């Protein structure tokens, strides 16, 4: 409801300003006809943009981009007495989008589909300009007591919507983490680290050697442009251009299939992408979500392993990774709550899907039939991460939330067993297993990673706390968004992804040896 009320209020304020500053451009018989124009314009534009997103959601992204661009510029041509200039401008922008998509910055990246962010970016900005303007022209024709002698108030509304989208998108680009996810994946018979971040890019690295091995995904138009710039430009300037690249990979996981291990990645591009980590080649692009995807998880169902994805459209979708077919949609009962985290947990001899939600709850779903099995209590600030942890041979469920709390649950009964509080928001959660000891690691905003013994309910200490706040802001361990353990024994690492430009790694054996004795019960 707020998403509808705010555009109406903003549109009304703009129309009042136009009516006050240019009485001849917009004539009204009073306040209520002006309010009716604002309602028709804002609601019509919002519904049109939403329905077009739904209508094109099943199409390949490049087809969706071209169709949206074509429709937008046809409408744009209707605003002018001479459609020729609008058609020329539209053709030039579309050609530039295709050209920049084809230009590869040194051949450093592969694409999951043709032209994903660039044509879509042009289409979305054009649509956000044209659609409100078109609805304004329609409103002044159908609402009694209103006359508009000029088209420019509609163009002003469209420009404000498109400009606001551009400003918000740029702001988000500067405030997003460099890396938002990290996960283990087996490549060439060895466990590697896969990580995703800004620019629809997914990388694979060798923690033992500290080397980046392969890049998959799309750097987008700005990364391509930075590849065409002179080599003498400072590296820091290139990194800032890359940071403005559309898209962010927010989730990644490895999934077993009959053809071998595949790597799934997803984020702000709506689609879930499947890659062959051995070659870096794209396998499938799974379309169905109608918003950013925040979480991915492999789900064993019978003799097969399926893939679960959840995000801002408040749905959990179950996919068959071998074919790319959507099997079912889970979570219709929680249709108004954003899904932030997913993991599997065994309960009564079956594998359930645990989902963390923005309302602070954790729900357990049966992935085989989509049935809600259990609803766990709430945490404040929204659940950002969930993971299963074995305590004395029994599997428990841990959840981390924006209020800084990490809670340990009994998934069989739904009982809250224990918790600890770090005060700062927690975004990352994983288990650390070494030499028979199982610890729970939690991180987020702030310095360091908290290690907690779920069996005794005591803190074991913190890792990565040697720096100051200034060091953290400059790039040391802090503001973490994802983490996982990669490897075992002496080659066991805790991988940390967040606001640092590199994925941090901590060798676990010496780090755990350096920890002090347990600090006492939380």
């Amino acid at each position: 409801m707020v998403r509808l009320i705010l555009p109406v209020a903003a549109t009304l304020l703009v129309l009042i300003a136009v009516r006050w500053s240019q009485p001849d451009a917009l004539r009204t018989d009073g306040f209520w006809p002006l309010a009716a124009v604002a309602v028709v314009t804002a609601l019509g534009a919002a519904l049109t943009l939403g329905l077009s997103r739904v209508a094109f959601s099943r199409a390949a992204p490049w087809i969706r981009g071209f169709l949206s661009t074509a429709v937008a510029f046809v409408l744009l041509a209707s605003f002018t007495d001479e459609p020729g200039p609008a058609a020329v401008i539209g053709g030039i922008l579309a050609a530039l989008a295709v050209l920049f998509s084809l230009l590869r910055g040194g051949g450093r990246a592969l694409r999951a589909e043709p032209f994903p962010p660039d044509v879509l970016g042009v289409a979305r900005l054009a649509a956000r300009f044209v659609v409100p303007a078109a609805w304004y022209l329609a409103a002044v024709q159908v609402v009694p007591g209103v006359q508009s002698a000029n088209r420019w108030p509609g163009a002003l509304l469209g420009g404000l919507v498109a400009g606001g989208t551009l400003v918000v998108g740029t702001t988000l680009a500067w405030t997003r983490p460099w890396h938002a996810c990290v996960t283990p994946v087996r490549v060439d018979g060895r466990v590697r680290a896969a990580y995703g971040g800004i620019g629809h890019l997914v990388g694979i690295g060798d923690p033992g050697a500290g080397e980046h091995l392969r890049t998959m995904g799309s750097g987008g138009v700005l990364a391509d442009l930075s590849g065409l710039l002179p080599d003498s430009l400072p590296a820091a300037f290139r990194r800032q251009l890359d940071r403005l690249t559309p898209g962010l990979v927010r989730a990644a996981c490895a999934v077993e299939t009959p053809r071998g291990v595949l790597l799934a990645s997803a984020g702000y591009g709506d689609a879930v992408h499947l890659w062959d980590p051995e070659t870096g080649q794209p396998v499938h692009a799974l379309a169905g979500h109608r918003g950013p995807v925040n979480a991915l998880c492999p789900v064993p169902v019978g003799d097969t392993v399926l893939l679960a994805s959840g995000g801002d459209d408040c749905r959990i979708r179950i996919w068959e990774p071998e074919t790319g077919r959507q099997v079912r949609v889970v979570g219709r009962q929680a249709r108004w709550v954003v899904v932030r985290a997913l993991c599997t947990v065994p309960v009564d001899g079956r594998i359930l899907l645990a989902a963390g939600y923005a309302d602070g709850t954790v729900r357990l779903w049966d992935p085989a039939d989509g049935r809600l099995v259990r609803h766990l209590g709430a945490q404040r600030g929204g659940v950002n991460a969930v993971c299963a942890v074995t305590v004395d041979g029994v599997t428990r469920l841990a959840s981390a939330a924006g209020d800084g709390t990490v809670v340990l649950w009994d998934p069989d009964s739904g009982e809250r067993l224990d918790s600890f509080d770090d005060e700062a928001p927690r975004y990352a959660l994983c288990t650390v297993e070494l030499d028979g000891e199982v610890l729970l690691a939690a991180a987020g905003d702030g310095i360091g990673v908290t290690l907690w013994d779920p069996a005794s309910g005591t803190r074991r200490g913190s890792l990565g706390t040697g720096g100051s706040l200034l060091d953290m802001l400059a790039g040391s361990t802090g503001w973490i968004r994802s983490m996982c353990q990669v490897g075992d024994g002496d080659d066991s690492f805790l991988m940390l992804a967040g606001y640092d430009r590199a994925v941090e790694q901590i060798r676990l054996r010496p780090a755990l040896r350096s920890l002090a004795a347990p600090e006492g019960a939380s």
Side-chain angles (χ1 to χ4, degrees), residues 3-52:
R3 291 185 177 182
L4 296 179
I5 294 176
L6 288 180
V8 171
T11 303
L12 180 59
L13 290 176
V14 172
L15 293 180
I16 290 174
V18 170
R19 177 71 182 86
W20 174 74
S21 61
Q22 297 288 335
D24 293 335
L26 181 61
R27 302 187 181 96
T28 64
D29 293 341
F31 173 78
W32 293 113
L34 192 65
V37 171
V39 170
V40 172
T41 302
L43 295 188
L47 291 175
T48 300
L49 292 171
L51 290 175
S52 66

Side-chain angles (χ1 to χ4, degrees), residues 250-290:
R250 303 188 67 174
C253 74
V255 57
E256 294 278 355
T257 71
R259 66 185 295 169
V261 176
L262 296 181
L263 179 64
S265 68
Y268 285 168
D270 298 359
V272 177
H273 299 280
L274 289 173
W275 310 87
D276 183 344
E278 303 277 356
T279 63
Q281 293 291 338
V283 177
H284 293 300
L286 312 178
H289 281 284
R290 298 171 183 172

Side-chain angles (χ1 to χ4, degrees), residues 239-334:
R239 285 196 296 267
Q240 298 307 326
L241 284 180
D242 288 341
R243 189 169 178 80
L244 287 174
T245 300
L248 175 71
V249 178
R250 303 188 67 174
C253 74
V255 57
E256 294 278 355
T257 71
R259 66 185 295 169
V261 176
L262 296 181
L263 179 64
S265 68
Y268 285 168
D270 298 359
V272 177
H273 299 280
L274 289 173
W275 310 87
D276 183 344
E278 303 277 356
T279 63
Q281 293 291 338
V283 177
H284 293 300
L286 312 178
H289 281 284
R290 298 171 183 172
V293 179
N294 303 320
L296 295 171
C297 176
V299 183
V301 177
D303 297 330
T304 63
V305 178
L306 303 178
L307 176 67
S309 60
D312 282 8
D313 61 356
C314 310
R315 295 289 187 271
I316 301 171
R317 300 181 186 272
I318 309 293
W319 310 88
E320 188 177 75
E322 177 70 12
T323 63
R325 180 177 65 92
Q326 180 175 296
V327 178
R328 66 183 54 88
V329 178
V330 176
R332 298 183 187 275
Q333 298 93 320

Side-chain angles (χ1 to χ4, degrees), residues 423-447:
E423 297 181 353
R426 302 291 91 180
Y427 293 93
L429 190 66
C430 74
T431 56
V432 172
E433 302 183 26
L434 192 66
D435 299 332
E437 184 179 32
V438 179
L439 300 176
L440 195 60
D445 290 351
I447 301 175

Side-chain angles (χ1 to χ4, degrees), residues 55-92:
F56 292 148
S57 65
R58 288 289 182 179
W62 70 274
I63 295 177
R64 188 164 78 238
F66 275 121
L67 289 177
S68 300
T69 306
V71 171
F73 281 107
V74 167
L75 293 174
L76 180 63
S78 68
F79 281 92
T80 63
D81 296 330
E82 299 180 1
V88 171
I89 294 173
I92 292 174

Side-chain angles (χ1 to χ4, degrees), residues 194-197 200-204 212 214-217 249 252 263 265 275:
Y195 34 87
H200 292 292
L201 296 177
V202 181
I204 295 179
H212 175 81
R214 185 175 297 122
T215 300
M216 300 172 290
V249 178
L263 179 64
S265 68
W275 310 87

